[in-house]
Amino acid sequence: IVMTQTPLSSPVTLGQPASISCGSSQSLVHSDGNTYLSWLQQRPGQPPRLLIYKISNRVSGVPDRFSGSGAGTDFTLRISRVEAEDVGVYYCMQRTQFPVTFGQGTRLEIK
Amino acid sequence: EVQLVESGGGLVQPGGSLRLSCAASGFTFSNYWMTWVRQAPGKELEWMASTKEDGSEKKYVDSVKGRFTISRDNAENSLYLQMNSLRVEDTAVYYCTRGITSDYWGQGALVTVSS
């Protein structure tokens, strides 16, 4: 399954919203009924960190300004008000089917 | 606190071998699939392999099938990646992660394949 993210780069003003889209080449609905689409954040010089799993479930400790939505083959990560600590690369990932695949990454930067 | 600590990275010549280890703590290791993900310099994440809780099932990305072997020792809370016939394009930071969803990540081990 090919994962395609847009945009690849997103300059955002502090305090403004940001949105990243992720499309999959086929439906991510698993035979068990779940959709295994996750979002990860990778800050500069750090390993990735899981933010959201199964489309919209925030990991404990992730600020509520991060939200995920979507269904089937189209998904979105939204940040309601970007803060300086949000700078980094964001990846969508599917684990509905092996091989697990990632999007190319979207670089979030501050204008 | 969940901790994953990779070791075993380094410089190796093309065609050589290397074995990565991942020491897990802070959770019941034998209850989770475990995964290796790599990231070439400046590139995106690439899933390598995952192994089931008891090691009875293993999945690999096509590019490493027959060259890399994932294994685990539940008694030692450890995950391994045996890498043979290494190529220049295998140069990357290799991350150990928990589960197939990769909800926890180690700091990574750098593998450099170069002559």
Side-chain angles (χ1 to χ4, degrees):
Chain A
I1 299 176
V2 177
M3 306 297 289
T4 303
Q5 289 182 229
T6 56
L8 297 184
S9 179
S10 179
V12 182
T13 301
L14 286 174
Q16 292 301 302
S19 179
I20 300 169
S21 296
C22 175
S24 57
S25 59
Q26 56 188 273
S27 174
L28 297 186
V29 180
H30 192 274
S31 56
D32 66 7
N34 290 305
T35 300
Y36 293 104
L37 184 283
S38 302
W39 290 97
L40 300 98
Q41 175 195 60
Q42 187 173 30
R43 291 171 171 151
Q46 295 292 315
R49 163 199 180 198
L50 182 68
L51 294 178
I52 288 172
Y53 61 97
K54 289 196 283 186
I55 303 178
S56 59
N57 295 273
R58 260 192 318 274
V59 171
S60 175
V62 172
D64 61 7
R65 64 178 181 275
F66 289 91
S67 64
S69 63
T73 61
D74 293 294
F75 307 92
T76 302
L77 175 70
R78 290 186 176 87
I79 309 173
S80 58
R81 296 171 306 279
V82 171
E83 298 188 5
E85 66 178 18
D86 300 335
V87 165
V89 180
Y90 291 80
Y91 295 93
C92 60
M93 181 194 86
Q94 71 79 24
R95 55 139 291 192
T96 292
Q97 180 182 127
F98 285 109
V100 171
T101 47
F102 295 87
Q104 320 96 300
T106 295
R107 186 171 301 278
L108 185 75
E109 52 196 26
I110 305 300
K111 278 185 190 175
Chain B
E1 180 194 4
V2 172
Q3 285 200 322
L4 300 168
V5 180
E6 300 92 341
S7 59
L11 175 64
V12 61
Q13 291 189 338
S17 297
L18 213 55
R19 189 195 197 207
L20 300 181
S21 300
C22 171
S25 61
F27 65 101
T28 305
F29 183 73
S30 57
N31 286 355
Y32 289 86
W33 279 73
M34 294 296 293
T35 294
W36 288 100
V37 176
R38 74 181 179 187
Q39 186 171 36
K43 299 295 187 181
E44 65 261 38
L45 302 167
E46 182 184 21
W47 172 82
M48 292 285 96
S50 295
T51 179
K52 198 174 178 180
E53 293 92 336
D54 61 359
S56 62
E57 195 171 342
K58 300 175 185 183
K59 302 289 188 182
Y60 298 93
V61 68
D62 281 351
S63 61
V64 306
K65 279 180 185 174
R67 298 192 301 126
F68 289 11
T69 302
I70 188 171
S71 63
R72 63 192 296 161
D73 183 336
N74 286 346
E76 295 292 327
N77 292 335
S78 294
L79 179 71
Y80 305 101
L81 186 67
Q82 177 66 44
M83 303 184 292
N84 299 330
S85 304
L86 282 161
R87 305 167 180 167
V88 171
E89 56 266 32
D90 294 319
T91 294
V93 174
Y94 286 73
Y95 294 103
C96 164
T97 79
R98 189 179 79 166
I100 306 172
T101 298
S102 295
D103 60 354
Y104 285 91
W105 295 63
Q107 289 297 311
L110 176 62
V111 173
T112 303
V113 185
S114 174
S115 54

